[in-house]
Structures are given as C-alpha cells and as structure tokens.
Amino acid sequence: MAGSIYGNIFKISTWGESHGKALGVTIDGCPAGLELSEEYIQSFLNRRKPGQNKYQTPRKESDRVEILSGVFEGVTTGTPISLIVYNQDQHSKDYGNLAECYRPGHADYCFDKKYGIRDYRGGGRSSGRETIGRVAAGAIATKILNELGIEIKAYVKSIGPHVINYNNFNFDSIANNSVSMPDEECAKKAEKYLDSLINSNDSTGSCVECIINNMPIGIGEPVFNKLDAMLSHGIMSIGAVKAIEIGDGVNASTSVGSINNDPFRIKDDKVIKTTNHAGGILGGMSDGSQIVLRAHFKPTPSIFSPQDTIDKYNNEVNISIRGRHDPIIGPRAVVVVESMCAITILDLLMLNANSKMDNLAKIYK
C-alpha cells in the first residue's frame, strides 16, 4: 500500500489496523535536543481514546504509548522516533457478518476492488484508529511549535443543526462538556440532539474549527505547496472529512472584492489587517495573522438501522451493523485536526529555512 507516509522533512509513516496487534508511527526528521516523554504524548492520545462518555464507542482502550527509539534520557537524538500503541479490546466477532458484504458509507467496497483482499474487522487500515499514529506524531510537532511560540487550538463548531454562538465563546468550556464545544448553551442542545439520534439508531455530521496563532510570515511554498493546499491535504486525509474551509471559505464565492480583501494598517509600528477574510493565508503563504480553518465531517457511517447493500457476489442484501461505534466523529477528531495542522506547519517551517541566504547564514556562518 502506497500513501502511508506524509511530509517532506518532518516525515511520518503510520502503520497498523483497527483489530491488529498494534498501531503506531515512525517519525523521521525530528531535531535532536527536544525534551520528550511518553507522558507528554499520552496527554494527546487521551483526548482521542474511546469510551470516555456516552457519545463515544464503548470500546475500552487505554491507548498507552511506548517510545521504541529516537529518545535517550528523555531527549530526542535526531534519529527516527518509533511509537507503538497495542490494541487491547478488539471484538472481531462483531464483524463476522461483514466478511462478504459491504457497509454503506465505508471503504469496504473500494478496498476489496483495489486490493482483492481486505481486513473486514472494523475497517482495518480505514478505521478511525489509524489516527493514533497521527496524534502521537502531532504531539511531537506541537511541542516543537510551542517552543517556537506557535499555538494551535481546535474545537467543535457545530453538531448537526446546532452551531456555537461566538458571543458565548469560552475555550475553557470544552473541558466541561462531552462534545468539545466552547459554548455551554449550544453544547447542551447538541447533547440532547445526540441522545435523540442514539435512540433512533442514527448518527450526525459535525464541523471542527481550528485556529493557529503567532505564525511567522511567509510560511508555505507559493506554487504547488501552498500553505492552504498543504493544510487541505493533511486535513482531507483524515477519514470522514468531506470538506475544508479556510477563512471565509465557501462564503468568499458570494462576496465582493471590496469586502473580501483585508485592508493593511500600521499599529504600534507593526503591520496588521483590519479584517481576516483570508484566514491568515495570502498567495499560499502565512500573512502573520490568525489562521482559521474548518474541517467538515460526515455522519458516522456505522449505524444500527438496517441498510441496503450488496455482497461480494453482487447480490442485493440487507445488513444490520453490530459492534461499538460513535454516533458522531467531530469531538474525538478535534485533536486529530490539531495534529495534522501541527505536522503540516512544522514541515513547511523546516522547508522555509532555505528560502533566503539570511536564514542559512544564521545557522552556518
């Protein structure tokens, strides 16, 4: 299988399946001298692990990470970092009836046609558990970015028809509700909505918004490797993401130039923009203002209601999916979105080091 490697200098390779023995990631290109512990990486994995509330799959996994290489006496050595998380609570028998038929909304049919073989236990490589490697690598990228003063924060903006009110915005509130919303009033409505969907054996879509602060100007390569293009690549590679918006996103297509353009001004001897319709990116490069992006997730395709499909012999059949599944993807995907943003930005920061002679002179002269 091609396509399990992401990045140019800060490069990650994820591996493992939902119901295999373990999952993990190998990170190449991490600088030496970074203080790093399993406990720090674990704090990120704890945010995506299952079974923490009634809106998540009841699959009980500790998702304990082990560092296998690349760290000595608590400090990175510059060599490849290998991380592993063992699976503990597989119920493979729940998927026995899916060995010969394809779940609607899943990758089953395409996987079978592409490779001629598939791991039907929970989706194998297409499972949401693949994101364990992304989050573990994202923890390391985030630590490096934080040391450079760059901050990445994501949260659930909407669940079904329920959208947060920015007048009620309180980022600390996401720790006080089960849906990672920074608006307590909206979170309560969303939780009731999810309760109704659980009772009717259904699921819902959601939107995760991510803000990135303190970005230096000029990060991103202006042609094919634009910052917005690379962020889109990273975010769209997350399973179940069907759209990404940056800044005004789709609303830009109904705007006019006199509104959509962000005026430049000088404040306290610094260049600022009076608006941020561009979402912090101009010409494929960061402009120094806050980067704002949104990832739109489709409803969880595993629902318990009977569904029409076909089997591998092209017979039309009706299936009822068993097992343990989230009724919504967004809340557990918040840290995944943060992680893919961190990995992408760090890689582009490293590429930017050779953009002008001054940069190289600071290192080598």
Side-chain angles (χ1 to χ4, degrees), residues 49-209:
K49 74 178 182 180
Q52 299 186 75
N53 60 61
K54 64 179 178 178
Y55 305 121
Q56 298 178 4
T57 168
R59 179 170 175 168
K60 295 297 182 182
E61 295 281 0
S62 64
D63 285 351
R64 296 299 305 178
V65 66
E66 294 181 28
I67 298 175
L68 300 182
S69 67
V71 178
F72 178 67
E73 295 183 341
V75 178
T76 58
T77 62
T79 59
I81 299 171
S82 186
L83 307 173
I84 189 169
V85 171
Y86 288 98
N87 286 322
Q88 298 172 320
D89 189 28
Q90 308 101 309
H91 286 188
S92 298
K93 65 180 183 298
D94 290 339
Y95 300 90
N97 67 323
L98 302 176
E100 295 189 342
C101 60
Y102 307 117
R103 294 170 296 175
H106 281 273
D108 301 352
Y109 176 76
C110 298
F111 227 101
D112 223 3
K113 294 302 177 183
K114 179 177 178 67
Y115 296 106
I117 186 173
R118 68 182 173 95
D119 184 346
Y120 57 82
R121 305 165 303 166
R125 224 19 215 148
S126 300
S127 167
R129 281 191 68 72
E130 180 272 335
T131 61
I132 282 175
R134 299 169 185 249
V135 173
I140 298 173
T142 299
K143 191 170 192 356
I144 297 173
L145 294 180
N146 287 347
E147 295 199 8
L148 299 175
I150 299 170
E151 178 185 67
I152 301 176
K153 290 184 176 181
Y155 46 84
V156 174
K157 178 182 178 179
S158 65
I159 291 177
H162 301 287
V163 184
I164 64 170
N165 182 343
Y166 287 98
N167 292 325
N168 300 331
F169 190 98
N170 180 2
F171 185 80
D172 293 336
S173 294
I174 67 173
N176 300 324
N177 62 71
S178 56
V179 289
S180 297
M181 280 184 152
D183 175 354
E184 282 296 326
E185 184 177 333
C186 186
K188 291 176 182 177
K189 294 177 182 178
E191 288 170 350
K192 289 182 180 180
Y193 176 64
L194 287 173
D195 288 338
S196 69
L197 290 173
I198 291 172
N199 291 334
S200 60
N201 295 326
D202 216 337
S203 62
T204 186
S206 53
C207 173
V208 173
E209 188 165 72

